[in-house]
Amino acid sequence: MNTPLLAIDHLDVSFQFNDGKYKALENITFSVADNEVVGIVGESGCGKSLTAQAILGILPENACIDQGSITFKGANLVELEERKWEDVRGKSISMIFQEPMTALNPLLTIGKQISEVLKKHTNLSKAEIRERTIAMMREVGLPRAEALYKSYPHQLSGGMRQRVVIAMALIVQPDLIIADEPTTALDVTIQAQILELFKQIKETRKASMMFISHDWGVIRSICDRVLVMYAGRIVEEGSLSEILQNPKHPYTKGLIEAIPDHRKRGKALFTIPGKVPPLKERKGGCPFTDRCSRRMNICAESFPDSVTFDSNKEQTVNCHLYSKEGVLTS
Amino acid sequence: MTIAIVEVENLHKHFKQKSSLVKAVNGVSFTLYEGETFGLVGESGCGKSTTGEVLLQLTKQTSGIVKYKGRDVTSFSKKELKNWRKDVQIVFQDPYSSLNPKKNVGWILNEPLRIHQIGNRATRFEKVLRTLEDVGLDASYLERFPHELSGGQRQRVAIASAIILDPVFIVIDEGVSALDVSVQAQILNLLKELQRKYKLTYLFISHDLNVVQYFCDRIAVMYLGEIVEIGKTEEISAAPKHPYAEALFSAIPMHDEDDRRIVLEGDLPDPSNPPSGCPFHTRCAYALEICRSEKPIARSVGDGTHKVSCHLSVPVTCRNLSKTEQ
């Protein structure tokens, strides 16, 4: 079997507060293969962005990795020395954030910001750097690249700023691109343009991507495989079509049913009662128990092991409703 | 019998900037009927929110008429205006910035009652409690401050403060856009329930077409300060007639069963310097010569409630053909 580009194994991350230590990520295990786009969905506060931060080694100061490993191209990032991180961050793995205005420096020109990465990570001459930067700007669909090279972020529209951020992420030809809600702050038509650009990148660059979003529409248009996260755990994993058409976990089912669309007009929308438990109020057992319409006694006692299905080995779910053989027990 | 609550005729709102004039709203007309939900959709900067603000007279129009139950709102006396303000309310996108961070929920909900001198202390308290229940919260929230609430709870408080004066008409400006899908569903259900219970009329401003299609009875699609298409939700979402509406509805990610997405080129033009003729011609795949020079006039399609402002008379599906023929 091929070794995946990125493999995360039994990763636990916790936050240290004055009153104690709280686990924010628990037993996160997944992998991203070459040229694969993996989506992570879940409500706010489920640990989607924290997972990305752990991979990039940019966890908040009061957070630490308790156990587990993050293996990227054969090296364990958890044990990496700080100075070696520079070869990974921004070079092999790049990150695209939600709000392009805050991700860009308002005082530097677009050209300077995009080429900065090249200056840092390559030995190219000034002319070559400029040439590559302009070529990159064209590739991400920025018009009049030469003129834009000297513009400042505030002179650009939201869609163009996001293209600049994408250009910054791509210019070093990373092996893995992590995009955290990259289209959430954009209008629908601009969102469509940016998603189209990501699809193009997926095809031409053969890069692997991790796409974090709470928007199923976005996940649906680009991902090959989907992880569903809830309260710091992965509760379901599978191919995009399988998750959308045949969700197993009550949480995944709820999230999909809550999406409004024209076919549900006149009917009340399905809702998941309650909210994601805050970090300090998480108990043992399955964290979804209190909000689950199908909870059983065992749910509050232990977190369920992951179950795979005979019909589809790719899909796994962590729910007591499914026994080891993947037959509904209740 | 449907009663017209708000009528808007040829509304203009222009903002003066240093050297230019931004035509944020440029001649829109529509009517809102009692108990309906009217959706206003379009990209940022198309004038949706400004339209909503003018309707509530939070900002004065440059020209045009806003009528409330048949009367021009600019003709109201000071006293009438204050009374009218009880009837019309607004819910904003981000309740965190629209709720006073230094006051607790009880105070926030009591304030409108106090301003309008409704009842006495005891009846006001009673009303606050009943309204909290209406939005699915209870007395335990009275002492809490906005920062202690989740996004969904904050939006419930914002809704409570909008309905506490028993309004007739509420503008919901991106009211669910900042919420997670599961919370969004709860708030949408709540708004529908309140609408049935109190016969409310909603102007629902949103850029999220999935939500609009689910929630609204009628839709108006705005582009650069103008309504380019208006009609019943079923008709527009099933077969949008205007090329912009067509692109907008095809761009909904959840919608692309057959992946027939139309990707519009470029951004919204500068509203201080809008294109001549049809404002959409610079991004329109079907633009003809006439589109560059002449502004299209709204014409009816179907039963007369569905109107579109476009020079093309051929149905959208045949247009690709007509384009190659040119």
Side-chain angles (χ1 to χ4, degrees):
Chain A
M1 206 188 110
N2 283 339
T3 44
L5 179 71
L6 174 81
I8 298 186
D9 196 28
H10 294 95
L11 183 75
D12 282 11
V13 172
S14 55
F15 278 97
Q16 183 73 50
F17 291 107
N18 290 339
D19 56 345
K21 210 171 173 187
Y22 298 92
K23 221 166 233 185
L25 292 180
E26 214 168 336
N27 205 2
I28 301 294
T29 302
F30 70 92
S31 62
V32 180
D34 285 318
N35 197 23
E36 187 186 36
V37 181
V38 175
I40 304 185
V41 284
E43 292 166 273
S44 321
C46 282
K48 307 189 295 289
S49 299
L50 196 65
T51 307
Q53 288 169 354
I55 296 169
L56 280 167
I58 49 169
L59 285 171
E61 269 190 8
N62 60 340
C64 67
I65 293 173
D66 295 329
Q67 58 166 334
S69 63
I70 302 171
T71 314
F72 179 73
K73 295 210 288 189
N76 187 357
L77 298 185
V78 175
E79 287 155 10
L80 206 64
E81 290 167 57
E82 188 52 40
R83 56 185 182 84
K84 291 218 171 135
W85 264 112
E86 286 184 6
D87 294 335
V88 177
R89 229 184 267 146
K91 195 174 179 189
S92 300
I93 307 178
S94 13
M95 174 100 190
I96 295 166
F97 294 95
Q98 171 172 3
E99 183 39 73
M101 197 59 205
T102 52
L104 292 173
N105 185 334
L107 301 178
L108 292 180
T109 59
I110 299 304
K112 216 167 191 158
Q113 300 197 50
I114 301 175
S115 57
E116 194 181 16
V117 210
L118 282 182
K119 270 183 213 141
K120 172 107 186 137
H121 293 294
T122 64
N123 297 318
L124 295 173
S125 71
K126 260 192 176 166
E128 279 170 319
I129 286 179
R130 190 185 150 87
E131 204 174 293
R132 289 239 325 240
T133 305
I134 286 175
M136 190 68 239
M137 288 169 75
R138 292 221 173 88
E139 191 182 327
V140 296
L142 283 165
R144 300 174 289 112
E146 272 94 356
L148 267 186
Y149 195 88
K150 290 202 176 106
S151 336
Y152 288 89
H154 75 269
Q155 295 169 302
L156 274 56
S157 67
M160 278 162 77
R161 274 184 222 140
Q162 195 58 292
R163 287 178 195 269
V164 171
V165 174
I166 294 170
M168 280 167 72
L170 286 182
I171 198 155
V172 282
Q173 302 183 311
D175 302 301
L176 176 68
I177 301 161
I178 303 177
D180 191 353
E181 306 268 12
T183 61
T184 309
L186 304 172
D187 275 316
V188 240
T189 59
I190 308 298
Q191 190 176 345
Q193 292 175 359
I194 298 293
L195 284 174
E196 208 54 40
L197 175 62
F198 273 114
K199 273 192 202 162
Q200 205 182 305
I201 294 166
K202 179 179 170 184
E203 255 143 56
T204 58
R205 295 251 164 174
K206 306 275 175 225
S208 303
M209 286 193 248
M210 262 175 70
F211 231 83
I212 298 173
S213 184
H214 66 269
D215 186 339
W216 281 100
V218 171
I219 292 286
R220 187 187 173 187
S221 62
I222 190 152
C223 297
D224 303 311
R225 209 149 51 81
V226 180
L227 310 171
V228 182
M229 283 189 76
Y230 185 76
R233 300 262 200 179
I234 291 173
V235 294
E236 187 162 1
E237 180 183 349
S239 70
L240 176 74
S241 55
E242 200 61 25
I243 294 271
L244 277 177
Q245 283 151 28
N246 199 6
K248 296 278 194 296
H249 199 284
Y251 180 61
T252 318
K253 284 183 183 171
L255 280 185
I256 291 172
E257 276 178 56
I259 305 169
D261 75 34
H262 60 111
R263 286 179 295 260
K264 296 175 186 163
R265 271 167 61 79
K267 293 175 218 151
L269 285 173
F270 179 84
T271 62
I272 308 171
K275 58 179 170 57
V276 182
L279 197 55
K280 295 185 180 180
E281 289 166 29
R282 287 177 194 168
K283 298 169 283 195
C286 171
F288 191 58
T289 308
D290 291 342
R291 299 175 77 188
C292 186
S293 58
R294 308 199 57 189
R295 60 176 168 262
M296 301 172 288
N297 290 338
I298 186 174
C299 299
E301 286 157 21
S302 67
F303 187 78
D305 292 334
S306 67
V307 176
T308 50
F309 299 88
D310 285 342
S311 56
N312 180 5
K313 291 265 183 263
E314 306 274 277
Q315 191 174 13
T316 63
V317 61
N318 291 74
C319 178
H320 286 299
L321 283 172
Y322 305 90
S323 72
K324 275 271 178 280
E325 291 75 38
V327 185
L328 212 61
T329 49
S330 66
Chain B
M1 182 59 210
T2 42
I3 305 161
I5 299 289
V6 177
E7 291 161 88
V8 176
E9 287 163 30
N10 201 15
L11 194 71
H12 288 261
K13 175 68 195 180
H14 301 170
F15 292 102
K16 269 200 197 88
Q17 283 188 340
K18 267 179 216 154
S19 56
S20 58
L21 193 66
V22 179
K23 295 176 177 171
V25 180
N26 204 6
V28 303
S29 305
F30 56 86
T31 306
L32 298 177
Y33 298 99
E34 186 176 38
E36 79 164 339
T37 306
F38 185 80
L40 214 47
V41 302
E43 293 169 83
S44 324
C46 73
K48 322 184 283 283
S49 293
T50 309
T51 305
E53 284 168 17
V54 174
L55 250 58
L56 299 184
Q57 294 291 296
L58 298 177
T59 165
K60 290 266 180 293
Q61 65 264 42
T62 309
S63 68
I65 298 167
V66 178
K67 280 187 194 162
Y68 178 74
K69 290 189 175 170
R71 288 193 57 200
D72 186 341
V73 295
T74 51
S75 74
F76 285 162
S77 69
K78 228 176 171 181
K79 200 176 157 205
E80 281 174 319
L81 199 65
K82 192 175 174 188
N83 266 328
W84 175 65
R85 293 235 175 267
K86 285 192 277 187
D87 282 6
V88 295
Q89 294 292 336
I90 186 161
V91 175
F92 294 100
Q93 170 170 6
D94 176 13
Y96 202 61
S97 52
S98 60
L99 298 175
N100 188 338
K102 291 188 170 174
K103 301 290 180 188
N104 64 28
V105 171
W107 190 95
I108 289 168
L109 294 184
N110 200 12
E111 191 191 22
L113 297 170
R114 220 169 40 237
I115 289 172
H116 288 280
Q117 296 165 350
I118 291 165
N120 56 32
R121 209 174 250 264
T123 57
R124 283 206 288 267
F125 183 69
E126 192 76 0
K127 178 77 184 170
V128 168
L129 278 187
R130 244 185 305 132
T131 309
L132 267 181
E133 263 167 45
D134 268 343
V135 299
L137 301 175
D138 56 43
S140 70
Y141 286 87
L142 286 173
E143 301 288 311
R144 296 216 213 164
F145 288 86
H147 75 265
E148 296 174 297
L149 307 173
S150 68
Q153 289 165 345
R154 276 202 290 266
Q155 201 56 297
R156 284 174 195 272
V157 173
I159 293 169
S161 79
I163 63 164
I164 200 157
L165 293 168
D166 303 317
V168 174
F169 168 58
I170 304 180
V171 174
I172 301 163
D173 192 353
E174 300 280 9
V176 296
S177 308
L179 306 170
D180 266 324
V181 64
S182 56
V183 184
Q184 186 183 69
Q186 293 170 10
I187 299 293
L188 287 173
N189 285 345
L190 171 68
L191 288 169
K192 270 273 172 254
E193 197 187 303
L194 293 170
Q195 181 172 45
R196 266 194 296 270
K197 200 165 164 188
Y198 298 116
K199 270 201 181 165
L200 296 167
T201 305
Y202 289 148
L203 177 71
F204 192 84
I205 300 171
S206 179
H207 71 277
D208 187 334
L209 293 158
N210 273 324
V211 176
V212 168
Q213 287 183 84
Y214 162 75
F215 196 67
C216 300
D217 304 311
R218 284 194 302 140
I219 301 181
V221 180
M222 279 188 84
Y223 188 78
L224 276 185
E226 294 174 32
I227 290 179
V228 296
E229 186 162 356
I230 182 168
K232 289 189 188 118
T233 306
E234 309 89 272
E235 281 180 37
I236 294 192
S237 67
K241 296 282 186 289
H242 194 282
Y244 178 64
E246 186 198 14
L248 205 58
F249 282 92
S250 81
I252 311 174
M254 216 52 197
H255 226 224
D256 56 356
E257 272 100 2
D258 47 359
D259 245 334
R260 194 188 49 89
R261 177 180 300 172
I262 304 163
V263 176
L264 285 178
E265 301 282 323
D267 296 314
L268 204 63
D270 180 1
S272 67
N273 185 21
S276 62
C278 170
F280 186 58
H281 85 255
T282 54
R283 294 168 84 189
C284 184
Y286 318 111
L288 306 168
E289 207 42 56
I290 187 174
C291 304
R292 278 180 253 284
S293 53
E294 238 174 86
K295 191 167 255 186
I297 300 161
R299 58 184 173 78
S300 295
V301 277
D303 63 358
T305 56
H306 188 169
K307 284 188 179 140
V308 57
S309 304
C310 180
H311 286 302
L312 296 154
S313 49
V314 263
V316 169
T317 43
C318 311
R319 269 192 218 137
N320 283 328
L321 197 69
S322 66
K323 175 119 177 126
T324 49
E325 278 168 0
Q326 283 158 35

